[in-house]
Every structure is written in C-alpha cells, then in structure tokens.
Amino acid sequence: MKALAFSNNDIALVAWTYDRHLDGCLGFAIFRQDLTAGTEQALPAMARFAGFEDQKDATTEDAPIQKFWWKDLYVRRGSQVRYRIVPMGGTPGQLQPLKDAEPLLSNSVAVTADRGIFEAYFNRGIVATQAVTRALGDKANGNLLLKRVADPHDSVRIALEGELFKGVTSLLDQADRTAGAEIFSALYELNDPRGLEVRLQAHDHGDPKIRNVVLGNERGKKNGVEVDDADSDNRHNLHAAGVNVTDRILPDGSIPHNKFMVLEENGKPTKVLTGSTNWTSTGLATQTNNTLIIKSPLVAARYKEYWTSVKHFSELGADAPKKLQDPAFRQANREANAKAIANPMTLEDGSAHIEVLFSPNTEDLLQTPPKEIPNDMARLYELVGAAKHAVLFLAFDPGNNSILDAAGNALRNNPNLFVRGALTSTVRAANFAEALHAGSGDEQPGKAGFNVGVIGEDGGVKKAKGKVGAAPDYRAIPADAIDDAFGRWEKEIYKVGFAIIHNKVVVIDPFSDECVVITGSHNLGYRASHNNDENMVIVHGHRPLAEAYACHVLDLYDHYAYRYWLKKYPDTFGKPLSEKDDWQERYIKDSEEKSPELRFWLAATASAG
C-alpha cells in the first residue's frame, strides 16, 4: 500500500494503490490535510451517482473518486499539505469507509514555485472549464472573457493567471528595490495596458531608466487592417515612459519570439527569467504558460551575451532588414549552441547541469524539404530518443519536424515508454500518430520525405501538399472543449485568440536522476530554429524541477484527455459514477498489472519525500 503526492506552485496531485482489487469499493474519499493551517477537508467532487446529479457542494465522501490518482485544483498556494485516502463502500447516499481496507496517508508536499536554484511558475490558463463558463454567466463568450481578463483586479483573471503575474514581474520587482540593479529583456508581444505594461514602464514604482528592452513585432490586425506591428501603440507608450527600448521589426516569415529577462546587480548578471509567457493579458490568463527563473550568474551571463548580440543586430538592421538575422548572428548562435551541448554548465549549487541554446542557428531560413538539421532540434531528438521511462510534452503549434515526430519515433522504438502530450494544433497532433505508426518515413528529422508547413505564432497553417493527416492518437491530443450542454455540464469556451496551450515544454524521465526538462520560448520545431529569435534551456538531473513540470503537463493532459474521450465515446465517459466495484478493472488488476498512468506516478517512490 502506498500514496504519493506531488506539487508545483499551482496544484497538488496524489496517486495511490492497494495492489489489489477492493471488494465493494465504490471509490475513494480524499481528504486534504493542510499542515500549515492545521486543518483537514474532504476534496470537492466532480462526478455524481445516478439520481444525485443535482446534489450541490458534494465532496468525495458523497461522490467518491473512481480513479487511483486525483488533482487538487483548490489547494491553497503556499501551503504544506498531505492527503488521506479512504476507500468507500455501501450504496449511493449511504456510503461508509470500507472496514477491511485501511486509509492511506501520503507524503507531504509544498505548493510553491521554489525549486532551489529555480523558481517555476505555472498559470491555470484553461478557459474550457465549467468554472469559467459559470463565472461568466448566461452570456459566456470569448469577447466577454477578453474584457474580464483585461482588468488585473477581475476575479476571473485572478483565478486564471494564478501566480504567473508574480513570477513574470519578480525580476523587475527585485531590480526596483536593489541599488545598482538593471534589467535586460527581449520580448515579443506586449499588450496588457493596465497590468504588465504598468510594471514594465515603472508607472507604479521603480525607475524606467534601469529597464533595457529589445521589443519585437507581432504581426496582426489593427483597426481591421493587417500590419507589421500590432502592438505599435504599446511600443510607443514604452518609449514615452522613458524605458530604453530597441525596436526589432523582423520581416514576414520570422518572429522575434524571445520572452526572457536578465537581472544585473552592480554590473554582473545574477538571474534570468525565461519561459513561454508573452507580456499580454491573454498570455497570463487565457492560455496555459510557464515562467522559469534561474538564479545562476553563469546562466544569466550567457543570456546577457545573447541579448547584447540581439540588440547589436537590431541596430544594424534598423535600415537594412537583412542585417537583423545576419549570417554572423546565425553562425555565432550555432557555434555557441555546439559548445553548450558539448560542455553543459554545472550550476553553482551543483544541483543540475544546463544547456542554453539560441536561435536562429541555421545558415538560412527554412526550406521545403529542410536543407539543414538545427543543432538545438538535433539535441532534442537525441534526448527524447534516449528516454527510458517517460516523455511528457506541451506545445502550441510546432510545425513539422518537431517534438511530435520525436516523441512518436521514441514510442515506436520503445513501446514501454509512457508518452503523454497535449497541444493546441489538431493538425500537428496527427504528426505524432504518423511517426508512431511509421507514417512519416524516416526516424531522423530533416531527410527527404518530411513536408514542412509554414507555421507562425499566429496559428496560421499552410497545408502541406500530398500529405494526408492521420487521426490523433490518444497519447498526443489536441485541446478541446465541451461544445454542447448535457447533464450537469455546460457548454465551454473553446479558446480566446489563437493559442490554447502555449507552453513549450518537454519532460523526460522525471523520477530519474537523469531527468531532463526542456523549456523556453522555442516552439519545439524546425521552423523556430531556422526563422525565429528563440531560446531553449535544457536542465539535466534536477528532480524537484522535473516533478513540478510533470505535474503541469499531466494536469493539462488529463483535462483535455477527458474531453477527447467524451467526444469519442460519449455513452461511456458521460455516464454517472458506477454503483459497482468493477470500475477498478480499468486501472488495476493485481500488484503487477496497473494502468500506464498509475504505473507512471507510482514509479516515483524513490524520490517522494
């Protein structure tokens, strides 16, 4: 018998097993013990038994969990918690703890971003939820949601962004309270006039002159007209506030996609912030994102070198656009990447090794078929292909020759791998299925036979000729929503804007000493390496960080997997709770035979504290 809890800054998760079928068990009541507050509380229930569909405020004592793992989405941030799992029997409405099965007690976990030399922040960011629909009321729609999240004090925005605003602005806050500090940042989108822009402009407090920003351009519509710089008004406001702004306006086909920030103290880089989060209200609240702070002068110095190079070529290219991604810039990134891969940095506290890779790093823009294999993507393929236990990932729309192909190939070569991923693009989800079933041809990327669609951050897709997409495989699913009301469920908002899942994350073997976390701005595909300004950070051997990212990936996967299966098999997945104990057979038969998800979580025994 065992129960294991995991956490990040946003959620906690608990998995458990009795290593046998529990006769008469209709599910589990789960109690959260908040060790900080000294309280115990039954978790709220989501499903209901037949005849109890209208039961309000039911807990898992009333409607027990018919699974062997569960997410606690209501856990208090900053708390230290553990979980008591109680098998329940009897009949609906008259449930009692089973007499012949002792309750389980998990290890305790802290719900915090703190991961030693790292801080990892994740938002809630999912708009396709019953909570969002009900919070918006009868007129729930995307336009109303956009209005709500534009206000930093709105309850819907606060719930969706979680601690992400705090994470994204933390280095700014530290710079503002530290004498001799300065910020060096490269950003892509900027559109949160009442929130993030206030902080970046130092309008509320701080000194705009200590902020140095290379601000890229986002293509889009302004007053109904396609423009090269959709955020031009916000750019003007940043200049007007006195921030040291370097404009970086890349031509069509490339995007200045970085979202990082370096903190210098007394002229020396000390920390760096990276991740997938754009400085927009939607980046904070209506799409899923992550922010990673690395408290390492070594890593911060490498980012500062790249920032200086980006600024230099931005100034050269102000009147000569071809200079913006000059061959010298590309070559410098390619050579620096090769050194980083060959000799990863050891972090100052000895807790991990790290590779920092930058784009563009090829000789030229992406062609069809690709003429070059980017060294950062070759490294990603190598690491994913070497996975022993698990590959988890989140992506927006990586294009072809991407993490989808790498993960599909890895699973095809090692059927025992636990592979789970979720992404925004339905089109790209098919790439995983094709690679898994050998439909994409070559195992290695970049060879003839791969077609490359032209994919930009705006989500537009140019369909590759002659390629018929396979149906998505359940291990790599596109985001979806409940599109029609049924039972207790209401219709959900599918998305707001282009992105739903905006993370760029890969987690490999998270419960191993050889675990790997890959994140940054890089969209995890060939196009990003060829055409865009990007950064990718690869962290080796830091299990607390890997577990935090694993929680986030599988939180999102679990959310969208239910909607995937519900749409595919509505009669099965739309049913009430079972009134028999045979529901267990989906998850466990004996001590050796368990579902893949349960085996995955229980493999963490050695690392649970």
Side-chain angles (χ1 to χ4, degrees):
M1 296 188 299
K2 54 188 172 184
L4 299 173
F6 309 86
S7 67
N8 54 35
N9 76 296
D10 187 56
I11 67 164
L13 183 149
V14 61
W16 61 92
T17 182
Y18 280 80
D19 284 341
R20 60 186 173 89
H21 184 280
L22 295 177
D23 293 338
C25 180
L26 298 190
F28 300 93
I30 304 178
F31 297 85
R32 179 200 311 120
Q33 296 182 348
D34 188 325
L35 304 180
T36 310
T39 60
E40 180 178 270
Q41 182 179 11
L43 296 189
M46 303 297 289
R48 299 288 190 273
F49 287 108
F52 292 83
E53 290 87 353
D54 296 330
Q55 185 179 24
K56 294 183 178 180
D57 302 322
T59 73
T60 54
E61 284 187 284
D62 310 302
I65 303 302
Q66 292 187 342
K67 293 175 66 172
F68 286 85
W69 65 94
W70 195 245
K71 301 180 299 185
D72 185 358
L73 301 178
Y74 302 93
V75 67
R76 185 170 58 87
R77 296 183 181 100
S79 61
Q80 186 85 19
V81 298
R82 65 184 179 188
Y83 294 88
R84 186 166 64 92
I85 295 95
V86 180
M88 303 296 287
T91 58
Q94 295 181 319
L95 297 178
Q96 296 291 332
L98 283 182
K99 293 182 179 180
D100 60 346
E102 290 294 321
L104 301 178
L105 192 64
S106 78
N107 55 299
S108 67
V109 292
V111 185
T112 176
D114 185 10
R115 292 295 184 269
I117 201 167
F118 300 99
E119 292 177 22
Y121 292 90
F122 308 95
N123 69 344
R124 192 59 54 89
I126 304 174
V127 302
T129 69
Q130 296 296 291
V132 168
T133 297
R134 289 165 182 157
L136 295 179
D138 294 338
K139 297 181 180 180
N141 60 67
N143 289 332
L144 175 59
L145 181 57
L146 281 175
K147 291 179 181 178
R148 296 287 298 268
V149 301
D151 179 2
H153 303 292
D154 187 277
S155 60
V156 173
R157 169 163 164 166
I158 290 170
L160 287 169
E161 76 178 18
E163 292 186 321
L164 197 55
F165 185 98
K166 171 186 173 183
V168 166
T169 59
S170 60
L171 294 193
L172 279 177
D173 292 341
Q174 184 171 343
D176 286 338
R177 62 176 181 263
T178 304
E182 200 166 358
I183 287 291
F184 299 87
S185 185
L187 301 178
Y188 174 44
E189 296 180 29
L190 181 65
N191 190 1
D192 187 23
R194 298 157 67 184
L196 290 171
E197 291 181 59
V198 172
R199 283 274 53 236
L200 194 59
Q201 295 169 14
H203 182 71
D204 50 354
H205 64 274
D207 181 0
K209 294 300 183 184
I210 69 169
R211 290 149 161 79
N212 303 278
V213 179
V214 175
L215 183 58
N217 62 309
E218 177 205 8
R219 278 179 174 72
K221 287 187 177 181
K222 190 174 180 181
N223 300 321
V225 179
E226 289 287 341
V227 295
D228 288 339
D229 188 12
D231 297 331
S232 58
D233 292 344
N234 305 324
R235 180 187 304 277
H236 170 79
N237 293 338
L238 200 61
H239 278 280
V243 175
N244 301 309
V245 181
T246 300
D247 297 321
R248 185 165 177 79
I249 311 297
L250 292 187
D252 193 17
S254 298
I255 53 175
H257 196 230
N258 283 305
K259 325 137 189 332
F260 71 82
M261 183 171 285
V262 176
L263 173 68
E264 271 195 1
E265 298 177 79
N266 298 316
K268 295 182 179 180
T270 57
K271 297 179 182 179
V272 64
L273 175 154
T274 185
S276 64
T277 310
N278 286 317
W279 283 56
T280 64
S281 58
T282 53
L284 289 174
T286 67
Q287 53 191 235
T288 62
N289 276 303
N290 70 288
T291 287
L292 180 66
I293 296 171
I294 309 171
K295 296 174 281 189
S296 163
L298 283 172
V299 178
R302 180 67 192 97
Y303 269 89
K304 176 64 186 306
E305 290 173 7
Y306 175 69
W307 182 90
T308 302
S309 182
V310 172
K311 182 176 186 294
H312 171 70
F313 285 101
S314 298
E315 292 169 343
L316 287 180
D319 298 315
K322 289 186 178 180
K323 289 286 186 181
L324 290 166
Q325 291 186 336
D326 190 84
F329 180 50
R330 290 172 169 274
Q331 181 177 352
N333 292 335
R334 184 165 58 253
E335 292 176 352
N337 287 357
K339 291 179 181 178
I341 293 167
N343 297 290
M345 288 183 279
T346 300
L347 295 183
E348 288 84 346
D349 66 352
S351 64
H353 301 287
I354 194 164
E355 302 166 39
V356 182
L357 310 178
F358 296 106
S359 301
N361 56 61
T362 54
E363 291 186 7
D364 207 344
L365 297 172
L366 184 63
Q367 301 178 52
T368 305
K371 304 300 183 185
E372 304 173 68
I373 301 177
N375 55 10
D376 51 1
M377 285 302 299
R379 182 61 167 151
L380 183 148
Y381 265 77
E382 178 186 12
L383 292 169
V384 171
K388 295 180 175 64
H389 309 292
V391 176
L392 314 174
F393 63 90
L394 297 172
F396 167 44
D397 186 340
N400 291 337
N401 302 328
S402 76
I403 177 58
L404 279 303
D405 302 281
N409 288 336
L411 181 57
R412 188 179 77 238
N413 294 331
N414 180 2
N416 292 321
L417 273 181
F418 178 75
V419 177
R420 294 292 185 273
L423 65 158
T424 293
S425 172
T426 302
V427 173
R428 300 306 153 201
N431 289 15
F432 174 85
E434 291 173 355
L436 174 61
H437 301 296
S440 60
D442 296 296
E443 187 173 320
Q444 294 299 321
K447 296 182 179 179
F450 280 78
N451 290 296
V452 178
V454 181
I455 309 301
E457 183 71 3
D458 64 359
V461 177
K462 293 182 180 178
K463 196 169 183 180
K465 294 181 180 179
K467 184 172 183 178
V468 179
D473 181 275
Y474 71 91
R475 286 159 289 201
I477 56 172
D480 208 340
I482 292 173
D483 53 17
D484 199 7
F486 73 96
R488 296 178 58 252
W489 296 84
E490 299 183 34
K491 181 180 178 180
E492 297 171 342
I493 298 172
Y494 170 49
K495 65 177 181 178
V496 175
F498 294 110
I500 303 172
I501 297 169
H502 192 252
N503 305 80
K504 303 90 171 58
V505 169
V506 183
V507 186
I508 301 169
D509 298 342
F511 307 133
S512 162
D513 290 339
E514 288 75 45
C515 60
V516 176
V517 174
I518 303 173
T519 190
S521 71
H522 197 291
N523 269 331
L524 307 176
Y526 265 34
R527 179 176 175 81
S529 301
H530 282 78
N531 289 25
N532 299 346
D533 298 348
E534 304 278 10
N535 69 92
M536 176 191 291
V537 61
I538 303 175
V539 181
H540 298 262
H542 201 285
R543 288 168 69 171
L545 184 70
E547 290 186 8
Y549 271 86
C551 278
H552 183 61
V553 174
L554 288 172
D555 172 23
L556 300 190
Y557 176 84
D558 184 69
H559 179 86
Y560 289 114
Y562 174 74
R563 284 148 181 80
Y564 171 86
W565 290 117
L566 180 65
K567 187 165 287 189
K568 198 173 182 70
Y569 301 110
D571 292 340
T572 298
F573 287 86
K575 291 194 305 185
L577 292 173
S578 173
E579 297 182 24
K580 299 180 180 179
D581 64 10
D582 58 357
W583 64 268
Q584 298 172 69
E585 294 173 7
R586 298 199 304 268
Y587 304 102
I588 183 169
K589 291 187 177 179
D590 53 45
S591 61
E592 300 300 323
E593 195 170 352
K594 301 179 179 70
S595 71
E597 283 84 358
L598 188 55
R599 288 200 310 270
F600 168 78
W601 289 114
L602 296 178
T605 303
S607 65

